PDB file of all heavy atoms in Angstrom:
ATOM      1  N   ILE A  75       9.393   7.383 -11.730  1.00 98.00           N
ATOM      2  CA  ILE A  75       9.609   6.706 -10.494  1.00 98.00           C
ATOM      3  C   ILE A  75      10.880   6.904  -9.869  1.00 98.00           C
ATOM      4  O   ILE A  75      10.969   7.155  -8.695  1.00 98.00           O
ATOM      5  CB  ILE A  75       9.334   5.118 -10.693  1.00 98.00           C
ATOM      6  CG1 ILE A  75       7.859   4.781 -11.088  1.00 98.00           C
ATOM      7  CG2 ILE A  75       9.862   4.319  -9.632  1.00 98.00           C
ATOM      8  CD1 ILE A  75       7.038   5.019  -9.833  1.00 98.00           C
ATOM      9  N   LEU A  78      10.954  10.427  -8.475  1.00 97.00           N
ATOM     10  CA  LEU A  78      10.193  10.533  -7.242  1.00 97.00           C
ATOM     11  C   LEU A  78      10.969   9.900  -6.048  1.00 97.00           C
ATOM     12  O   LEU A  78      10.907  10.469  -5.009  1.00 97.00           O
ATOM     13  CB  LEU A  78       8.844   9.855  -7.379  1.00 97.00           C
ATOM     14  CG  LEU A  78       7.905   9.908  -6.289  1.00 97.00           C
ATOM     15  CD1 LEU A  78       7.540  11.443  -5.866  1.00 97.00           C
ATOM     16  CD2 LEU A  78       6.593   9.175  -6.525  1.00 97.00           C
ATOM     17  N   LYS A  79      11.470   8.739  -6.253  1.00 98.00           N
ATOM     18  CA  LYS A  79      12.287   8.080  -5.178  1.00 98.00           C
ATOM     19  C   LYS A  79      13.466   8.967  -4.700  1.00 98.00           C
ATOM     20  O   LYS A  79      13.679   9.058  -3.533  1.00 98.00           O
ATOM     21  CB  LYS A  79      12.779   6.711  -5.695  1.00 98.00           C
ATOM     22  CG  LYS A  79      13.564   5.956  -4.689  1.00 98.00           C
ATOM     23  CD  LYS A  79      13.938   4.597  -5.265  1.00 98.00           C
ATOM     24  CE  LYS A  79      14.646   3.714  -4.224  1.00 98.00           C
ATOM     25  NZ  LYS A  79      15.055   2.440  -4.792  1.00 98.00           N
ATOM     26  N   TYR A  82      12.139  11.801  -2.596  1.00 98.00           N
ATOM     27  CA  TYR A  82      11.833  11.310  -1.208  1.00 98.00           C
ATOM     28  C   TYR A  82      13.061  11.165  -0.320  1.00 98.00           C
ATOM     29  O   TYR A  82      13.187  11.593   0.861  1.00 98.00           O
ATOM     30  CB  TYR A  82      11.098  10.097  -1.198  1.00 98.00           C
ATOM     31  CG  TYR A  82       9.585  10.145  -1.498  1.00 98.00           C
ATOM     32  CD1 TYR A  82       8.939   9.239  -2.216  1.00 98.00           C
ATOM     33  CD2 TYR A  82       8.919  11.258  -0.870  1.00 98.00           C
ATOM     34  CE1 TYR A  82       7.554   9.360  -2.497  1.00 98.00           C
ATOM     35  CE2 TYR A  82       7.481  11.382  -1.108  1.00 98.00           C
ATOM     36  CZ  TYR A  82       6.877  10.395  -1.909  1.00 98.00           C
ATOM     37  OH  TYR A  82       5.539  10.590  -2.108  1.00 98.00           O
ATOM     38  N   LYS A  83      14.011  10.577  -0.945  1.00 98.00           N
ATOM     39  CA  LYS A  83      15.369  10.328  -0.234  1.00 98.00           C
ATOM     40  C   LYS A  83      16.051  11.645   0.159  1.00 98.00           C
ATOM     41  O   LYS A  83      16.591  11.788   1.229  1.00 98.00           O
ATOM     42  CB  LYS A  83      16.278   9.505  -1.005  1.00 98.00           C
ATOM     43  CG  LYS A  83      15.864   8.001  -1.160  1.00 98.00           C
ATOM     44  CD  LYS A  83      16.914   7.156  -1.852  1.00 98.00           C
ATOM     45  CE  LYS A  83      16.626   5.704  -1.695  1.00 98.00           C
ATOM     46  NZ  LYS A  83      17.609   4.911  -2.330  1.00 98.00           N
ATOM     47  N   LEU A  86      14.186  13.463   2.970  1.00 98.00           N
ATOM     48  CA  LEU A  86      14.435  12.736   4.188  1.00 98.00           C
ATOM     49  C   LEU A  86      15.671  13.154   4.875  1.00 98.00           C
ATOM     50  O   LEU A  86      15.943  13.182   6.101  1.00 98.00           O
ATOM     51  CB  LEU A  86      14.260  11.206   3.993  1.00 98.00           C
ATOM     52  CG  LEU A  86      12.979  10.632   4.228  1.00 98.00           C
ATOM     53  CD1 LEU A  86      12.970   9.068   4.041  1.00 98.00           C
ATOM     54  CD2 LEU A  86      12.360  10.982   5.590  1.00 98.00           C
ATOM     55  N   ASN A 205       7.926  11.864   8.165  1.00 98.00           N
ATOM     56  CA  ASN A 205       9.152  11.021   7.936  1.00 98.00           C
ATOM     57  C   ASN A 205       8.786   9.480   7.926  1.00 98.00           C
ATOM     58  O   ASN A 205       9.209   8.832   6.984  1.00 98.00           O
ATOM     59  CB  ASN A 205      10.178  11.196   9.094  1.00 98.00           C
ATOM     60  CG  ASN A 205      10.879  12.543   8.992  1.00 98.00           C
ATOM     61  OD1 ASN A 205      10.527  13.355   8.160  1.00 98.00           O
ATOM     62  ND2 ASN A 205      11.854  12.785   9.804  1.00 98.00           N
ATOM     63  N   ASN A 206       8.082   9.038   8.905  1.00 98.00           N
ATOM     64  CA  ASN A 206       7.845   7.634   8.887  1.00 98.00           C
ATOM     65  C   ASN A 206       6.893   7.240   7.728  1.00 98.00           C
ATOM     66  O   ASN A 206       7.066   6.082   7.241  1.00 98.00           O
ATOM     67  CB  ASN A 206       7.105   7.266  10.245  1.00 98.00           C
ATOM     68  CG  ASN A 206       8.053   7.348  11.395  1.00 98.00           C
ATOM     69  OD1 ASN A 206       9.215   7.440  11.218  1.00 98.00           O
ATOM     70  ND2 ASN A 206       7.494   7.239  12.583  1.00 98.00           N
ATOM     71  N   LYS A 207       6.033   8.006   7.320  1.00 97.00           N
ATOM     72  CA  LYS A 207       5.184   7.711   6.158  1.00 97.00           C
ATOM     73  C   LYS A 207       5.961   7.713   4.863  1.00 97.00           C
ATOM     74  O   LYS A 207       5.715   6.852   3.986  1.00 97.00           O
ATOM     75  CB  LYS A 207       3.987   8.744   6.097  1.00 97.00           C
ATOM     76  CG  LYS A 207       2.964   8.447   7.227  1.00 97.00           C
ATOM     77  CD  LYS A 207       1.822   9.387   7.019  1.00 97.00           C
ATOM     78  CE  LYS A 207       0.758   9.152   8.164  1.00 97.00           C
ATOM     79  NZ  LYS A 207      -0.420   9.835   8.034  1.00 97.00           N
ATOM     80  N   ILE A 208       6.934   8.573   4.702  1.00 98.00           N
ATOM     81  CA  ILE A 208       7.785   8.513   3.541  1.00 98.00           C
ATOM     82  C   ILE A 208       8.597   7.264   3.544  1.00 98.00           C
ATOM     83  O   ILE A 208       8.807   6.615   2.503  1.00 98.00           O
ATOM     84  CB  ILE A 208       8.656   9.763   3.429  1.00 98.00           C
ATOM     85  CG1 ILE A 208       7.817  10.921   3.151  1.00 98.00           C
ATOM     86  CG2 ILE A 208       9.755   9.670   2.466  1.00 98.00           C
ATOM     87  CD1 ILE A 208       8.569  12.285   2.966  1.00 98.00           C
ATOM     88  N   LYS A 209       9.175   6.893   4.756  1.00 98.00           N
ATOM     89  CA  LYS A 209       9.871   5.770   4.887  1.00 98.00           C
ATOM     90  C   LYS A 209       9.157   4.546   4.473  1.00 98.00           C
ATOM     91  O   LYS A 209       9.662   3.515   3.922  1.00 98.00           O
ATOM     92  CB  LYS A 209      10.583   5.682   6.228  1.00 98.00           C
ATOM     93  CG  LYS A 209      11.596   6.610   6.541  1.00 98.00           C
ATOM     94  CD  LYS A 209      12.061   6.529   7.969  1.00 98.00           C
ATOM     95  CE  LYS A 209      13.043   7.631   8.269  1.00 98.00           C
ATOM     96  NZ  LYS A 209      13.421   7.593   9.746  1.00 98.00           N
ATOM     97  N   LYS A 210       7.877   4.564   4.897  1.00 97.00           N
ATOM     98  CA  LYS A 210       7.067   3.419   4.625  1.00 97.00           C
ATOM     99  C   LYS A 210       6.773   3.294   3.079  1.00 97.00           C
ATOM    100  O   LYS A 210       6.738   2.170   2.565  1.00 97.00           O
ATOM    101  CB  LYS A 210       5.735   3.526   5.313  1.00 97.00           C
ATOM    102  CG  LYS A 210       4.744   2.378   5.171  1.00 97.00           C
ATOM    103  CD  LYS A 210       3.500   2.499   5.902  1.00 97.00           C
ATOM    104  CE  LYS A 210       2.522   1.332   5.745  1.00 97.00           C
ATOM    105  NZ  LYS A 210       1.274   1.462   6.534  1.00 97.00           N
ATOM    106  N   ILE A 211       6.587   4.315   2.413  1.00 97.00           N
ATOM    107  CA  ILE A 211       6.425   4.360   0.928  1.00 97.00           C
ATOM    108  C   ILE A 211       7.641   3.796   0.271  1.00 97.00           C
ATOM    109  O   ILE A 211       7.581   2.983  -0.637  1.00 97.00           O
ATOM    110  CB  ILE A 211       6.015   5.830   0.418  1.00 97.00           C
ATOM    111  CG1 ILE A 211       4.732   6.226   0.999  1.00 97.00           C
ATOM    112  CG2 ILE A 211       6.162   5.881  -1.021  1.00 97.00           C
ATOM    113  CD1 ILE A 211       4.368   7.723   0.686  1.00 97.00           C
ATOM    114  N   LEU A 212       8.833   4.288   0.735  1.00 98.00           N
ATOM    115  CA  LEU A 212      10.016   3.792   0.165  1.00 98.00           C
ATOM    116  C   LEU A 212      10.369   2.316   0.484  1.00 98.00           C
ATOM    117  O   LEU A 212      10.709   1.632  -0.491  1.00 98.00           O
ATOM    118  CB  LEU A 212      11.278   4.592   0.692  1.00 98.00           C
ATOM    119  CG  LEU A 212      11.464   6.030   0.312  1.00 98.00           C
ATOM    120  CD1 LEU A 212      12.444   6.804   1.087  1.00 98.00           C
ATOM    121  CD2 LEU A 212      11.739   6.050  -1.193  1.00 98.00           C
ATOM    122  N   ASN A 213      10.030   1.926   1.536  1.00 97.00           N
ATOM    123  CA  ASN A 213      10.238   0.521   1.938  1.00 97.00           C
ATOM    124  C   ASN A 213       9.248  -0.528   1.560  1.00 97.00           C
ATOM    125  O   ASN A 213       9.483  -1.746   1.522  1.00 97.00           O
ATOM    126  CB  ASN A 213      10.426   0.342   3.468  1.00 97.00           C
ATOM    127  CG  ASN A 213      11.684   1.121   3.986  1.00 97.00           C
ATOM    128  OD1 ASN A 213      12.673   1.265   3.259  1.00 97.00           O
ATOM    129  ND2 ASN A 213      11.598   1.570   5.191  1.00 97.00           N
ATOM    130  N   GLU A 214       8.039   0.027   1.197  1.00 97.00           N
ATOM    131  CA  GLU A 214       6.972  -0.895   0.817  1.00 97.00           C
ATOM    132  C   GLU A 214       6.584  -0.756  -0.695  1.00 97.00           C
ATOM    133  O   GLU A 214       6.673  -1.560  -1.528  1.00 97.00           O
ATOM    134  CB  GLU A 214       5.746  -0.825   1.719  1.00 97.00           C
ATOM    135  CG  GLU A 214       6.041  -1.242   3.169  1.00 97.00           C
ATOM    136  CD  GLU A 214       4.862  -1.161   4.043  1.00 97.00           C
ATOM    137  OE1 GLU A 214       3.716  -0.884   3.598  1.00 97.00           O
ATOM    138  OE2 GLU A 214       5.004  -1.258   5.236  1.00 97.00           O
ATOM    139  N   GLU A 215       6.065   0.472  -0.983  1.00 97.00           N
ATOM    140  CA  GLU A 215       5.508   0.723  -2.284  1.00 97.00           C
ATOM    141  C   GLU A 215       6.624   0.733  -3.414  1.00 97.00           C
ATOM    142  O   GLU A 215       6.445   0.137  -4.438  1.00 97.00           O
ATOM    143  CB  GLU A 215       4.788   2.081  -2.295  1.00 97.00           C
ATOM    144  CG  GLU A 215       3.629   2.179  -1.278  1.00 97.00           C
ATOM    145  CD  GLU A 215       2.565   1.090  -1.624  1.00 97.00           C
ATOM    146  OE1 GLU A 215       2.344   0.805  -2.893  1.00 97.00           O
ATOM    147  OE2 GLU A 215       2.014   0.435  -0.690  1.00 97.00           O
ATOM    148  N   PHE A 216       7.701   1.281  -3.120  1.00 98.00           N
ATOM    149  CA  PHE A 216       8.799   1.420  -4.106  1.00 98.00           C
ATOM    150  C   PHE A 216       9.393   0.026  -4.267  1.00 98.00           C
ATOM    151  O   PHE A 216       9.859  -0.335  -5.349  1.00 98.00           O
ATOM    152  CB  PHE A 216       9.867   2.386  -3.687  1.00 98.00           C
ATOM    153  CG  PHE A 216       9.606   3.868  -4.170  1.00 98.00           C
ATOM    154  CD1 PHE A 216       8.821   4.718  -3.360  1.00 98.00           C
ATOM    155  CD2 PHE A 216       9.935   4.219  -5.424  1.00 98.00           C
ATOM    156  CE1 PHE A 216       8.589   5.925  -3.816  1.00 98.00           C
ATOM    157  CE2 PHE A 216       9.698   5.480  -5.928  1.00 98.00           C
ATOM    158  CZ  PHE A 216       8.955   6.423  -5.076  1.00 98.00           C
ATOM    159  N   VAL A 217       9.567  -0.744  -3.145  1.00 98.00           N
ATOM    160  CA  VAL A 217      10.164  -2.100  -3.305  1.00 98.00           C
ATOM    161  C   VAL A 217       9.176  -2.983  -4.130  1.00 98.00           C
ATOM    162  O   VAL A 217       9.630  -3.771  -4.966  1.00 98.00           O
ATOM    163  CB  VAL A 217      10.286  -2.646  -1.873  1.00 98.00           C
ATOM    164  CG1 VAL A 217      10.597  -4.208  -1.988  1.00 98.00           C
ATOM    165  CG2 VAL A 217      11.389  -1.962  -1.140  1.00 98.00           C
ATOM    166  N   LYS A 218       7.956  -2.781  -3.889  1.00 98.00           N
ATOM    167  CA  LYS A 218       6.856  -3.544  -4.626  1.00 98.00           C
ATOM    168  C   LYS A 218       6.882  -3.215  -6.195  1.00 98.00           C
ATOM    169  O   LYS A 218       7.014  -4.192  -6.998  1.00 98.00           O
ATOM    170  CB  LYS A 218       5.561  -3.267  -4.114  1.00 98.00           C
ATOM    171  CG  LYS A 218       4.369  -4.138  -4.775  1.00 98.00           C
ATOM    172  CD  LYS A 218       3.034  -3.695  -4.173  1.00 98.00           C
ATOM    173  CE  LYS A 218       1.910  -4.286  -4.978  1.00 98.00           C
ATOM    174  NZ  LYS A 218       0.544  -3.988  -4.422  1.00 98.00           N
ATOM    175  N   THR A 219       6.989  -1.995  -6.468  1.00 98.00           N
ATOM    176  CA  THR A 219       7.122  -1.583  -7.812  1.00 98.00           C
ATOM    177  C   THR A 219       8.355  -2.020  -8.445  1.00 98.00           C
ATOM    178  O   THR A 219       8.462  -2.439  -9.532  1.00 98.00           O
ATOM    179  CB  THR A 219       6.980  -0.028  -7.958  1.00 98.00           C
ATOM    180  OG1 THR A 219       5.634   0.344  -7.485  1.00 98.00           O
ATOM    181  CG2 THR A 219       7.142   0.440  -9.382  1.00 98.00           C
ATOM    182  N   ASN A 220       9.490  -1.988  -7.704  1.00 98.00           N
ATOM    183  CA  ASN A 220      10.731  -2.364  -8.180  1.00 98.00           C
ATOM    184  C   ASN A 220      10.758  -3.916  -8.482  1.00 98.00           C
ATOM    185  O   ASN A 220      11.458  -4.273  -9.450  1.00 98.00           O
ATOM    186  CB  ASN A 220      11.874  -2.067  -7.152  1.00 98.00           C
ATOM    187  CG  ASN A 220      13.245  -2.173  -7.721  1.00 98.00           C
ATOM    188  OD1 ASN A 220      13.573  -1.589  -8.773  1.00 98.00           O
ATOM    189  ND2 ASN A 220      14.116  -2.884  -7.044  1.00 98.00           N
ATOM    190  N   ASN A 221      10.011  -4.681  -7.649  1.00 98.00           N
ATOM    191  CA  ASN A 221       9.956  -6.092  -8.046  1.00 98.00           C
ATOM    192  C   ASN A 221       9.246  -6.345  -9.354  1.00 98.00           C
ATOM    193  O   ASN A 221       9.641  -7.229  -9.990  1.00 98.00           O
ATOM    194  CB  ASN A 221       9.253  -6.745  -6.910  1.00 98.00           C
ATOM    195  CG  ASN A 221      10.088  -6.885  -5.608  1.00 98.00           C
ATOM    196  OD1 ASN A 221      11.303  -6.845  -5.651  1.00 98.00           O
ATOM    197  ND2 ASN A 221       9.469  -6.997  -4.480  1.00 98.00           N
ATOM    198  N   PHE A 222       8.161  -5.566  -9.653  1.00 98.00           N
ATOM    199  CA  PHE A 222       7.544  -5.657 -10.892  1.00 98.00           C
ATOM    200  C   PHE A 222       8.525  -5.294 -12.043  1.00 98.00           C
ATOM    201  O   PHE A 222       8.459  -5.930 -13.069  1.00 98.00           O
ATOM    202  CB  PHE A 222       6.327  -4.752 -10.952  1.00 98.00           C
ATOM    203  CG  PHE A 222       5.132  -5.274 -10.175  1.00 98.00           C
ATOM    204  CD1 PHE A 222       4.531  -4.449  -9.190  1.00 98.00           C
ATOM    205  CD2 PHE A 222       4.613  -6.461 -10.470  1.00 98.00           C
ATOM    206  CE1 PHE A 222       3.387  -4.976  -8.518  1.00 98.00           C
ATOM    207  CE2 PHE A 222       3.528  -7.013  -9.832  1.00 98.00           C
ATOM    208  CZ  PHE A 222       2.901  -6.266  -8.823  1.00 98.00           C
ATOM    209  N   ARG A 223       9.298  -4.269 -11.851  1.00 97.00           N
ATOM    210  CA  ARG A 223      10.239  -3.860 -12.843  1.00 97.00           C
ATOM    211  C   ARG A 223      11.328  -4.913 -13.066  1.00 97.00           C
ATOM    212  O   ARG A 223      11.730  -5.135 -14.199  1.00 97.00           O
ATOM    213  CB  ARG A 223      10.977  -2.494 -12.428  1.00 97.00           C
ATOM    214  CG  ARG A 223       9.930  -1.327 -12.443  1.00 97.00           C
ATOM    215  CD  ARG A 223      10.562  -0.095 -11.826  1.00 97.00           C
ATOM    216  NE  ARG A 223      11.776   0.440 -12.615  1.00 97.00           N
ATOM    217  CZ  ARG A 223      12.467   1.382 -12.235  1.00 97.00           C
ATOM    218  NH1 ARG A 223      12.182   2.180 -11.194  1.00 97.00           N
ATOM    219  NH2 ARG A 223      13.586   1.835 -12.969  1.00 97.00           N
ATOM    220  N   LYS A 224      11.799  -5.577 -11.996  1.00 96.00           N
ATOM    221  CA  LYS A 224      12.717  -6.653 -12.178  1.00 96.00           C
ATOM    222  C   LYS A 224      12.138  -7.861 -13.000  1.00 96.00           C
ATOM    223  O   LYS A 224      12.827  -8.456 -13.857  1.00 96.00           O
ATOM    224  CB  LYS A 224      13.098  -7.085 -10.796  1.00 96.00           C
ATOM    225  CG  LYS A 224      14.053  -6.188 -10.031  1.00 96.00           C
ATOM    226  CD  LYS A 224      14.505  -6.857  -8.692  1.00 96.00           C
ATOM    227  CE  LYS A 224      15.461  -5.968  -7.953  1.00 96.00           C
ATOM    228  NZ  LYS A 224      15.710  -6.503  -6.607  1.00 96.00           N
ATOM    229  N   SER A 277       1.474  -0.547 -11.570  1.00 97.00           N
ATOM    230  CA  SER A 277       2.056  -0.163 -10.293  1.00 97.00           C
ATOM    231  C   SER A 277       2.767   1.154 -10.267  1.00 97.00           C
ATOM    232  O   SER A 277       2.651   1.985  -9.338  1.00 97.00           O
ATOM    233  CB  SER A 277       3.091  -1.264  -9.867  1.00 97.00           C
ATOM    234  OG  SER A 277       3.697  -1.058  -8.603  1.00 97.00           O
ATOM    235  N   MET A 278       3.413   1.469 -11.339  1.00 98.00           N
ATOM    236  CA  MET A 278       4.188   2.734 -11.414  1.00 98.00           C
ATOM    237  C   MET A 278       3.223   3.939 -11.510  1.00 98.00           C
ATOM    238  O   MET A 278       3.358   4.948 -10.913  1.00 98.00           O
ATOM    239  CB  MET A 278       5.172   2.737 -12.654  1.00 98.00           C
ATOM    240  CG  MET A 278       6.385   1.904 -12.340  1.00 98.00           C
ATOM    241  SD  MET A 278       7.652   2.066 -13.574  1.00 98.00           S
ATOM    242  CE  MET A 278       6.949   1.212 -14.997  1.00 98.00           C
ATOM    243  N   LYS A 280       0.250   4.065 -10.306  1.00 97.00           N
ATOM    244  CA  LYS A 280      -0.343   4.260  -8.954  1.00 97.00           C
ATOM    245  C   LYS A 280       0.668   5.069  -8.032  1.00 97.00           C
ATOM    246  O   LYS A 280       0.230   5.876  -7.333  1.00 97.00           O
ATOM    247  CB  LYS A 280      -0.763   2.972  -8.327  1.00 97.00           C
ATOM    248  CG  LYS A 280      -1.361   2.945  -7.009  1.00 97.00           C
ATOM    249  CD  LYS A 280      -1.700   1.588  -6.432  1.00 97.00           C
ATOM    250  CE  LYS A 280      -2.401   1.654  -5.126  1.00 97.00           C
ATOM    251  NZ  LYS A 280      -2.555   0.359  -4.564  1.00 97.00           N
ATOM    252  N   LEU A 281       1.879   4.646  -8.138  1.00 97.00           N
ATOM    253  CA  LEU A 281       2.863   5.239  -7.272  1.00 97.00           C
ATOM    254  C   LEU A 281       3.169   6.730  -7.626  1.00 97.00           C
ATOM    255  O   LEU A 281       3.443   7.569  -6.592  1.00 97.00           O
ATOM    256  CB  LEU A 281       4.176   4.479  -7.289  1.00 97.00           C
ATOM    257  CG  LEU A 281       5.252   4.713  -6.301  1.00 97.00           C
ATOM    258  CD1 LEU A 281       4.710   4.694  -4.843  1.00 97.00           C
ATOM    259  CD2 LEU A 281       6.411   3.703  -6.515  1.00 97.00           C
ATOM    260  N   ILE A 282       3.206   7.127  -8.788  1.00 96.00           N
ATOM    261  CA  ILE A 282       3.505   8.452  -9.138  1.00 96.00           C
ATOM    262  C   ILE A 282       2.371   9.405  -9.018  1.00 96.00           C
ATOM    263  O   ILE A 282       2.559  10.618  -9.333  1.00 96.00           O
ATOM    264  CB  ILE A 282       4.074   8.561 -10.613  1.00 96.00           C
ATOM    265  CG1 ILE A 282       3.035   8.109 -11.664  1.00 96.00           C
ATOM    266  CG2 ILE A 282       5.408   7.745 -10.726  1.00 96.00           C
ATOM    267  CD1 ILE A 282       3.480   8.414 -13.084  1.00 96.00           C
ATOM    268  N   GLU A 286      -0.789  11.676  -3.038  1.00 95.00           N
ATOM    269  CA  GLU A 286      -0.213  11.335  -1.747  1.00 95.00           C
ATOM    270  C   GLU A 286       1.022  12.232  -1.340  1.00 95.00           C
ATOM    271  O   GLU A 286       1.068  12.668  -0.234  1.00 95.00           O
ATOM    272  CB  GLU A 286       0.287   9.896  -1.779  1.00 95.00           C
ATOM    273  CG  GLU A 286       0.767   9.388  -0.349  1.00 95.00           C
ATOM    274  CD  GLU A 286       0.875   7.824  -0.323  1.00 95.00           C
ATOM    275  OE1 GLU A 286       1.002   7.211  -1.453  1.00 95.00           O
ATOM    276  OE2 GLU A 286       0.909   7.236   0.756  1.00 95.00           O
TER     277      GLU A 286
END
Side-chain angles (χ1 to χ4, degrees):
I75 286 293
L78 182 61
K79 184 178 182 180
Y82 278 143
K83 285 186 173 182
L86 266 182
N205 287 6
N206 289 350
K207 289 186 177 180
I208 288 181
K209 290 175 184 177
K210 185 178 180 181
I211 292 172
L212 287 170
N213 295 331
E214 294 181 8
E215 298 302 320
F216 274 92
V217 169
K218 181 181 177 181
T219 298
N220 193 51
N221 288 336
F222 282 125
R223 291 171 64 180
K224 284 181 180 178
S277 179
M278 287 191 287
K280 182 180 178 182
L281 189 53
I282 64 170
E286 188 169 18

